Amino acid sequence: MSAHDRLVGAATLKRLRLARGWSLADTARAVIRTAADLGQPLDASVASVQRSVARWESKAPVLPAERYQLLLAHLYARGPHGRIVLGPGSDVAELLDALAHLGESERRLDELRTLLLRTATDSGAGMLALLGPSVEGGLSAALTDPGRLDEGVVDALRAVVVDVNGRVGSLPFVRLQLLLSPVIESCRRLLDGPVPDALLPDLQTVAAQAYTLGGRLAFETRDDGASRALYAAATTAAGAVGAPWRRSVVHMSHALVTLYSTPGLDAAQQLVDAAVRDARAGGSVTIRARAHALQAEIAARRGVQKSAQAALALAWYDMDSDRDGDPAGTSFSVAHLRGFEGVTSLYVGDPTVAHDYFAGSAAAMTAPREQVQRAIVSTDQALARIRLDEPESAAGLLHGCIDAASSTGGRVASIRLRRARRELRPWRREDWFADLDDHLIDSLGA
């Protein structure tokens, strides 16, 4: 960070403090109270903390230590009326920006925001915590009279969906559901009313995204009836937008949950076929690649090697095409496609090849958003090791998958873990099998 950046950060911290009418000593006392409220009392006097506050705002400012960052985040997350507000324009958003200017890493800032989201869901703040302070009034007015809907409200709803989706892997699914539910209800109420024609396509797009994510979250929390209803609503909303690739996204998400909630492959196959049709008619090559990859998995699960390999070839052709300007260019990567290659090899090919594909795919998935998928891929990698007659090594890999599934409550990972355990039954008298069983029971209850 440059000296100018650090001065901007210091000035922002000072502005936040003065906006609340606090002196340096008032801020020190507030930080000490916050620490006590969190059950982490500071072993420091008001004068000592006050000196730290002054250093953060000085002409040669220093970055607050991590403990003070956490306390400041909790302090500024609550608005003047005591309610948690985390959205754009909020005090805590300004705080995080100040910390960035003072040199804090994006990873640490993201950790702070995730911790605050946990607090918001503990308190029942839900979506309102993610809305900026200037948006709430507009949303309330639009819900009363949909004709008053404006672009700011639509953008704010979209931002909440993006934020919640980005927290998959960082927060348990049940907490994400709590954050998203008000968006889903708001979209339903607004679409039932006479919103301005110019905003209808954007609102339908946001609704399709919210309903699709909601369907996934409902499935993960084992509410299959709600999941099906949300996917039906998502299909309708996406179909009304006029961009077939968006409906393809809905079909693919629905197909994946159907694969694990409905016996057999026929229902999932129908959804995948629909996804491929829409993807081929749509404007996203990346979505077409993803649809072909999913088509390959279904064919492999059916044991049809030739069809699986043909679909994979199409997926690679799509991924290697020019994707500049693709509206969904970041939604599917080579690492994800390697995972599908692994699944294909696992069912209709060589387990050694499958294992290597899975290992490469898992190693490339390092972002928090990818941790759920990484656990799934690693569980499949363990299955490949079992088929290579390396059961103890497979069990060692599964321990990490159990931890990941436990932290998010992910249903797909749990299903795959139980399947892997069944394949390890021939070794059930081994000590390492007992350790794995204990870990499964302690973490997942089965």
Side-chain angles (χ1 to χ4, degrees):
M1 292 294 125
S2 68
H4 177 265
D5 286 332
R6 289 193 292 272
L7 288 173
V8 170
T12 302
L13 290 178
K14 184 175 183 178
R15 185 175 68 251
L16 285 171
R17 173 174 64 80
L18 295 177
R20 297 206 175 192
W22 291 343
S23 66
L24 292 172
D26 292 334
T27 306
R29 283 188 284 268
V31 168
I32 291 171
R33 283 196 305 272
T34 301
D37 292 342
L38 294 173
Q40 302 175 20
L42 284 173
D43 185 19
S45 66
V46 171
S48 175
V49 178
Q50 180 177 332
R51 285 193 293 272
S52 294
V53 176
R55 285 195 294 272
W56 305 334
E57 300 179 8
S58 71
K59 292 182 179 179
V62 298
L63 176 69
E66 287 194 358
R67 187 177 187 188
Y68 280 117
Q69 289 180 24
L70 176 63
L71 295 175
L72 288 170
H74 280 282
L75 179 60
Y76 283 115
R78 292 192 179 276
H81 301 294
R83 188 172 59 75
I84 295 177
V85 182
L86 309 178
S90 64
D91 284 354
V92 76
E94 292 283 314
L95 170 69
L96 296 178
D97 185 61
L99 295 177
H101 277 94
L102 288 170
E104 190 50 84
S105 68
E106 283 298 323
R107 183 181 187 120
R108 171 60 181 166
L109 297 176
D110 192 63
E111 288 174 353
L112 283 172
R113 185 163 171 78
T114 299
L115 286 170
L116 294 174
L117 282 171
R118 287 179 178 273
T119 301
T121 49
D122 280 341
S123 67
M127 177 193 74
L128 293 179
L130 296 175
L131 291 177
S134 62
V135 177
E136 290 182 37
L139 176 60
S140 297
L143 290 174
T144 301
D145 177 8
R148 298 173 65 183
L149 180 69
D150 59 39
E151 289 183 5
V153 171
V154 176
D155 289 342
L157 292 173
R158 180 186 293 108
V160 173
V161 177
V162 171
D163 203 344
V164 173
N165 188 48
R167 299 295 156 180
V168 171
S170 300
L171 288 172
F173 286 113
V174 67
R175 290 179 183 266
L176 298 175
Q177 228 178 353
L178 179 62
L179 290 167
L180 187 66
S181 292
V183 181
I184 291 172
E185 181 59 26
S186 296
C187 287
R188 281 174 172 163
R189 289 174 58 182
L190 291 169
L191 286 173
D192 282 343
V195 300
D197 290 343
L199 295 178
L200 184 57
D202 283 345
L203 179 60
Q204 288 168 329
T205 298
V206 173
Q209 294 169 334
Y211 299 159
T212 301
L213 180 56
R216 158 83 184 282
L217 298 178
F219 163 78
E220 297 284 6
T221 55
R222 293 163 176 78
D223 190 346
D224 291 340
S227 179
R228 286 190 293 271
L230 282 163
Y231 277 118
T235 302
T236 299
V241 173
W245 70 266
R246 291 192 179 277
R247 191 168 56 189
S248 179
V249 172
V250 179
H251 289 322
M252 283 189 281
S253 180
H254 194 185
L256 286 169
V257 304
T258 299
L259 193 59
Y260 293 97
S261 60
T262 303
L265 294 171
D266 290 348
Q269 177 79 66
Q270 291 175 8
L271 288 164
V272 171
D273 290 345
V276 170
R277 286 195 299 272
D278 279 338
R280 288 174 175 172
S284 171
V285 178
T286 304
I287 293 302
R288 193 160 69 235
R290 185 178 164 195
H292 283 137
L294 189 53
Q295 188 179 44
E297 176 174 348
I298 296 297
R301 286 175 178 271
R302 287 192 181 280
V304 187
Q305 183 178 21
K306 187 174 181 179
S307 295
Q309 293 296 340
L312 270 181
L314 288 172
W316 274 113
Y317 176 82
D318 295 328
M319 288 298 287
D320 291 338
S321 300
D322 181 6
R323 294 188 292 134
D324 286 344
D326 193 312
T330 62
S331 64
F332 189 70
S333 67
V334 169
H336 292 103
L337 184 49
R338 292 293 185 196
F340 281 99
E341 283 193 305
V343 170
T344 301
S345 295
L346 187 67
Y347 282 97
V348 292
D350 185 342
T352 301
V353 174
H355 180 276
D356 291 345
Y357 279 137
F358 289 137
S361 178
M365 294 181 185
T366 57
R369 176 65 176 79
E370 296 174 322
Q371 292 314 292
V372 173
Q373 186 62 33
R374 188 175 190 275
I376 293 169
V377 170
S378 295
T379 304
D380 286 342
Q381 184 184 354
L383 284 171
R385 289 187 182 181
I386 295 169
R387 296 183 185 182
L388 292 169
D389 200 25
E390 299 176 13
E392 187 172 0
S393 174
L397 191 60
L398 290 173
H399 281 286
C401 302
I402 293 170
D403 290 335
S406 176
S407 67
T408 61
R411 186 175 174 187
V412 174
S414 297
I415 291 171
R416 276 169 131 104
L417 279 165
R418 292 185 178 96
R419 177 187 167 200
R421 180 196 175 279
R422 285 196 300 271
E423 299 230 4
L424 286 170
R425 279 178 183 168
W427 297 275
R428 61 184 176 276
R429 299 187 188 281
E430 300 290 340
D431 289 342
W432 52 261
F433 183 92
D435 290 340
L436 181 68
D437 236 14
D438 288 344
H439 195 179
L440 270 169
I441 292 168
D442 289 344
S443 299
L444 302 177

